[in-house]
Each structure stands twice: as structure tokens, then as C-alpha cells.
Amino acid sequence: MSAKDDKCVSFAHVDETIEGAAKAILYKVAQTPGRLLIAGILAGMLIAIGYVFAYMTASSLFPYRFVFDETQHALVKVHIAELIGNDAASKFAIDSISLCKMIAGAVFPIGLIAILIGGAELWTSGPQLVSYGYVRKKFDLNGLLYNWFTAYAGNWIGAVLVAFIVTFGTGMLLKHPFID
């Protein structure tokens, strides 16, 4: 062997990688309905909380608000200086929409990180990972559909629960997001 061969790292072939993923994913299909549904609800709640964090941080920096104008019966775009006064606007308003988007993009992954740490079941892993096991004949179509529908139902329940709590429990989305 030459020195060049010693430095070469061998990687698994694509078929070996897919086969390993198909074997490793069997636990998702073998979960009890209660455990899978609870893990799905937790994932839906965590991703919704990540969205709420991103919404609140970005909306607090966004310089414009959409306010319902009763005379026009429509939403009107208003600068924050008109809503809270020029002194406060000069202190707190940032006129960079790109910065708002960047901060929202940086804060939203908190929900994804919490899902990974907590071991919750986000539906988006199902179409890819669980499909590997089905294609490799590790389980039948019932196992695939069981995982997809149970995880999706759990994600939906968790997200709607957080949306309901944030909207009606705290009133956060019923009022202006910047003015207390």
C-alpha cells in the first residue's frame, strides 16, 4: 500500500446508507399509537413555539404595521412613528426589513432544535425516512400510512393548541404585536 491509499477514507455506498436508514427507522413504525401521537403533538407544539418566537422578535423590529382603518374598511400600512410617537420611534424603530427577516430566520430554528433534543416526531421526517423502510420492504403500506397519519395528526393538534393558547390565552395575536 502506498501512502496515498492510507489517507483515503472509505465511505458507505448509497445502497448501504439507505439500507442502514431503513433498518434504523423501524422503531418509528413500531411505536404505540399513544406514544406516536404524543410525540407528534409535542413536535407540533415546539415548531409552533419556534414560529411564535420568530414572529415576536421580527415583528418588534418591523417598522410598519397594518392597522384596520374603519373609514376605509381596509388594512392600512402605517409607520410605527405614527402609532407610538416620534420620540419612541427614533429609539426603537429599525427601518431594515432585511434585519427583521434575518432575525426571524435565526430564531425559528429554536423549535427545530427543541424537537431534536426532545425526541419528538415531526411529520416531515416521515415522507423521507419512513419511506426508506417501506421501499426496502421492512414493513408494509399499513405501517407507512400509520406513521404518516398519526404523526401528521399529532403535529396538527399540537400546532393548533399552541395557536389557540397564544391567540386566546395570552391575547398576543389579538392586539398590536409591538405596543403593550
Side-chain angles (χ1 to χ4, degrees):
M1 290 196 122
S2 67
K4 184 179 179 183
D5 292 335
D6 291 339
K7 293 180 181 178
C8 184
V9 177
S10 63
F11 293 100
H13 191 264
V14 173
D15 289 336
E16 295 169 351
T17 304
I18 298 296
E19 186 67 27
K23 286 179 185 175
I25 213 67
L26 286 173
Y27 80 94
K28 286 191 174 206
V29 177
Q31 292 178 5
T32 63
R35 199 265 180 229
L36 186 59
L37 187 66
I38 295 297
I41 291 171
L42 178 63
M45 292 176 77
L46 290 172
I47 203 77
I49 289 170
Y51 171 76
V52 169
F53 286 160
Y55 172 79
M56 293 309 295
T57 55
S59 68
S60 66
L61 296 174
F62 192 69
Y64 295 98
R65 298 293 182 260
F66 292 95
V67 180
F68 185 74
D69 187 3
E70 294 178 6
T71 59
Q72 297 178 7
H73 297 290
L75 289 176
V76 178
K77 186 176 178 180
V78 179
H79 195 276
I80 200 165
E82 295 176 34
L83 294 174
I84 61 176
N86 289 331
D87 293 338
S90 64
K91 285 183 183 178
F92 300 113
I94 296 175
D95 284 334
S96 175
I97 295 173
S98 297
L99 180 63
C100 297
K101 291 178 182 179
M102 188 172 70
I103 289 175
V107 173
F108 177 73
I110 291 173
L112 296 171
I113 293 167
I115 289 170
L116 288 173
I117 291 172
E121 183 70 28
L122 193 59
W123 180 82
T124 54
S125 68
Q128 179 186 9
L129 297 176
V130 180
S131 298
Y132 290 161
Y134 174 69
V135 170
R136 294 292 179 155
K137 307 279 189 244
K138 301 296 180 191
F139 46 83
D140 59 355
L141 183 62
N142 289 338
L144 177 79
L145 294 176
Y146 160 73
N147 182 275
W148 281 7
F149 285 115
T150 309
Y152 192 84
N155 290 171
W156 187 83
I157 291 168
V160 168
L161 181 65
V162 169
F164 183 79
I165 290 171
V166 167
T167 303
F168 298 109
T170 65
M172 187 171 16
L173 298 176
L174 295 176
K175 59 184 179 182
H176 196 278
F178 189 69
I179 298 175
D180 293 333

